[in-house]
Amino acid sequence: MHTTTPPQITRHIRQLVQRVVPGGVATYMVVEPEPDALEKECFPNVEAKIARDGGRMLCGWQLWEWPHVMVEAEFHAIWLSPDGQMVDVTPKLHHETKVLFVSDPRRRYTGATVDNVRLPVRDDQLIRHFIGVSEAITHVLSRGVPTADGHVSVPANEIEPLQQAQQFLGHALLTGLRDHQPCLCGSGSKYKRCHGPELERAFAL
């Protein structure tokens, strides 16, 4: 899966914004990573920036798009400078130079896991199942025990089947598969009559 910053604010992006911040407005902003900032560590990155240069943390949602599959909102923090400039100080996995962000005045960072909010951009069982499995993975990880190396320990029998299902579904979607087309497993049956019902029974999707 390769989600990117949406090139434009589409109908689906507007729907997603209203889901996470009713009445909110998404804004493009530049990414100016700090030299010591780490990917996917926006909260400590912003806290370190505040310690050096003042300002404050602004929480909200960073918006992503998987073209023709889904749009996604990720709980995120940016730096608000003392003069009111909004800057994303966290480097991105794919080196995006701008992000689409909507601030959420109701939100504060507490250290608790906040799952991404995902909306499909078309009616397809594969996409719904991918979203359901992704949400289930976050739920399992939220019940895990933090380890000394910063990871989370969870029972393998709980997390591994979900991760395998997510990998299978993600690969199927990357190939452009639709639920009415032959399943990726090679059975010859349509996904919605093959792995679709199996995954629904296994994970209550």
Side-chain angles (χ1 to χ4, degrees):
M1 182 181 70
H2 181 184
T3 54
T4 60
T5 296
Q8 57 185 345
I9 300 175
T10 62
R11 172 174 58 89
H12 293 107
I13 291 293
R14 289 193 293 270
Q15 289 174 345
L16 180 61
V17 169
Q18 294 311 305
R19 170 79 66 87
V20 294
V21 188
V25 177
T27 305
Y28 287 101
M29 66 182 60
V30 296
V31 179
E32 296 181 357
E34 290 292 291
D36 59 347
L38 301 175
E39 294 173 1
K40 297 186 176 296
E41 296 292 342
C42 61
F43 302 106
N45 291 340
V46 172
E47 288 171 346
K49 179 67 172 176
I50 293 169
R52 285 192 296 267
D53 300 322
R56 64 183 181 89
M57 178 183 293
L58 184 61
C59 292
W61 302 87
Q62 184 173 246
L63 307 177
W64 299 101
E65 178 182 44
W66 184 352
H68 313 298
V69 176
M70 69 180 186
V71 290
E72 186 170 17
E74 176 186 12
F75 188 48
H76 189 63
I78 63 167
W79 179 61
L80 188 65
S81 71
D83 62 0
Q85 181 183 6
M86 295 191 299
V87 182
D88 193 343
V89 298
T90 300
K92 308 304 170 189
L93 181 62
H94 298 290
H95 309 292
E96 285 88 354
T97 58
K98 67 175 182 178
V99 295
L100 186 58
F101 179 80
V102 55
S103 63
D104 190 345
R106 307 166 303 171
R107 292 278 185 174
R108 297 290 183 272
Y109 175 60
T110 64
T113 300
V114 178
D115 194 10
N116 292 7
V117 178
R118 306 167 183 91
L119 288 181
V121 300
R122 66 172 191 265
D123 183 18
D124 192 292
Q125 191 181 57
L126 269 163
I127 302 174
R128 294 196 300 274
H129 287 177
F130 180 87
I131 290 174
V133 167
S134 298
E135 291 173 347
I137 287 174
T138 301
H139 179 69
V140 171
L141 291 175
S142 70
R143 294 187 282 106
V145 178
T147 61
D149 59 2
H151 293 85
V152 176
S153 176
V154 297
N157 66 317
E158 291 187 30
I159 194 68
E160 288 180 0
L162 288 167
Q163 291 174 329
Q164 291 167 1
Q166 186 189 50
Q167 185 177 21
F168 174 82
L169 292 164
H171 183 55
L173 288 167
L174 282 171
T175 66
L177 189 72
R178 302 291 184 97
D179 59 7
H180 62 276
Q181 295 175 322
C183 188
L184 194 65
C185 71
S187 67
S189 297
K190 297 176 181 179
Y191 171 82
K192 61 184 179 181
R193 294 176 184 162
C194 183
H195 268 72
E198 290 182 18
L199 291 178
E200 288 191 346
R201 288 192 297 269
F203 305 121
L205 298 174

